[in-house]
Amino acid sequence: AQSVTQPDIHITVSEGASLELRCNYSYGATPYLFWYVQSPGQGLQLLLKYFSGDTLVQGIKGFEAEFKRSQSSFNLRKPSVHWSDAAEYFCAVALYNQGGKLIFGQGTELSVKP
Amino acid sequence: KAGVTQTPRYLIKTRGQQVTLSCSPISGHRSVSWYQQTPGQGLQFLFEYFSETQRNKGNFPGRFSGRQFSNSRSEMNVSTLELGDSALYLCASSAEDPGQGGDQYFGPGTRLLVL
């Protein structure tokens, strides 16, 4: 079945430590891939996306993500986490010719320890 | 440019009532998508409107409906509310389809509580 999986429901990291959030997808063709962040009580903010080309994409707030076709993964990384990064992170996919429909993973909640 | 706006931000209704939520997209965006977010089911796609036509529909009952006006503003309606309809309803707009590399921008959401 077509799906987007974020295996980690909740992750806690110390401020200044590196971060990697995992995302796997299961689709016949390579979808277009997105990472969004949601702070409490807020809507979703787009961090970055993969459309084509270079498999390492840079986003806002110092985030980057790497697309690995062989692993059907699109993991989000940040070298040094700040307390303000505490939020929920969602991986999403869009399929060609599916218009404005995004399919989301279940989300990973990030907590940051001082 | 102003972002996506949604009204109202909070709403309390009782079972059996109906509700209408409103979304104003970013100026120039013709696509408006709606999502339901709940703790149990996560973010689920409801439907999408493009140039006043429903272009995509998610797997929700017919009680959920929507429309889009000529100025791209959109409304969604839920009739005969059930307790399970309590959720954050998010609206998003885009100039180009995410499925063609476009970015989808989200509003702050309307939090609906059904008692």
Side-chain angles (χ1 to χ4, degrees), chain A residues 32 36 38 49 98 100 102, chain B residues 33 35 37 56 99 101 103-104:
Chain A
Y32 303 117
Y36 282 87
Q38 185 178 36
K49 66 181 181 185
Q98 289 286 300
L102 286 174
Chain B
S33 296
Y35 296 85
Q37 186 177 23
N56 265 304
D103 296 345
Q104 199 165 76

Side-chain angles (χ1 to χ4, degrees), chain A residues 32 34 36 38 41-44 46 49 51 90 94-102 104 106, chain B residues 9 33 35 37 41 43 45 48 55-56 88 90 97-104 106-108:
Chain A
Y32 303 117
F34 304 81
Y36 282 87
Q38 185 178 36
Q42 303 294 316
L44 279 74
L46 178 64
K49 66 181 181 185
F51 181 57
F90 293 92
L95 302 178
Y96 181 72
N97 265 352
Q98 289 286 300
K101 177 180 178 179
L102 286 174
F104 286 89
Q106 284 296 100
Chain B
R9 293 292 309 278
S33 296
Y35 296 85
Q37 186 177 23
Q41 299 298 314
L43 277 154
F45 173 78
E48 181 214 1
R55 187 165 64 166
N56 265 304
L88 180 67
L90 292 162
D97 293 342
Q100 295 185 20
D103 296 345
Q104 199 165 76
F106 283 78

Side-chain angles (χ1 to χ4, degrees), chain A:
Chain A
Q2 297 179 333
S3 65
V4 181
T5 303
Q6 293 179 246
D8 304 306
I9 296 173
H10 187 217
I11 283 183
T12 300
V13 300
S14 297
E15 191 168 16
S18 63
L19 170 70
E20 182 169 27
L21 303 181
R22 296 182 291 165
C23 174
N24 294 94
Y25 64 90
S26 173
Y27 288 92
T30 299
Y32 303 117
L33 299 154
F34 304 81
W35 275 100
Y36 282 87
V37 61
Q38 185 178 36
S39 298
Q42 303 294 316
L44 279 74
Q45 182 182 22
L46 178 64
L47 287 174
L48 47 75
K49 66 181 181 185
Y50 174 76
F51 181 57
S52 65
D54 194 348
T55 57
L56 185 64
V57 294
Q58 303 296 320
I60 62 171
K61 304 185 180 189
F63 286 93
E64 65 179 26
E66 185 172 13
F67 169 64
K68 292 186 177 179
R69 185 187 306 274
S70 61
Q71 298 177 20
S72 298
S73 69
F74 188 55
N75 293 350
L76 182 71
R77 301 194 294 244
K78 187 169 185 178
S80 177
V81 169
H82 188 262
W83 64 266
S84 60
D85 293 325
E88 189 151 22
Y89 292 80
F90 293 92
C91 179
V93 306
L95 302 178
Y96 181 72
N97 265 352
Q98 289 286 300
K101 177 180 178 179
L102 286 174
I103 302 160
F104 286 89
Q106 284 296 100
T108 297
E109 185 178 355
L110 173 65
S111 297
V112 181
K113 289 192 301 186

Side-chain angles (χ1 to χ4, degrees), chain B residues 55-83:
Chain B
R55 187 165 64 166
N56 265 304
K57 190 176 191 312
N59 189 24
F60 278 82
R63 300 186 296 107
F64 291 81
S65 63
R67 58 178 175 167
Q68 187 180 34
F69 302 94
S70 59
N71 62 358
S72 292
R73 189 178 70 85
S74 178
E75 289 180 347
M76 68 164 281
N77 184 276
V78 188
S79 62
T80 319
L81 283 165
E82 301 177 358
L83 296 178

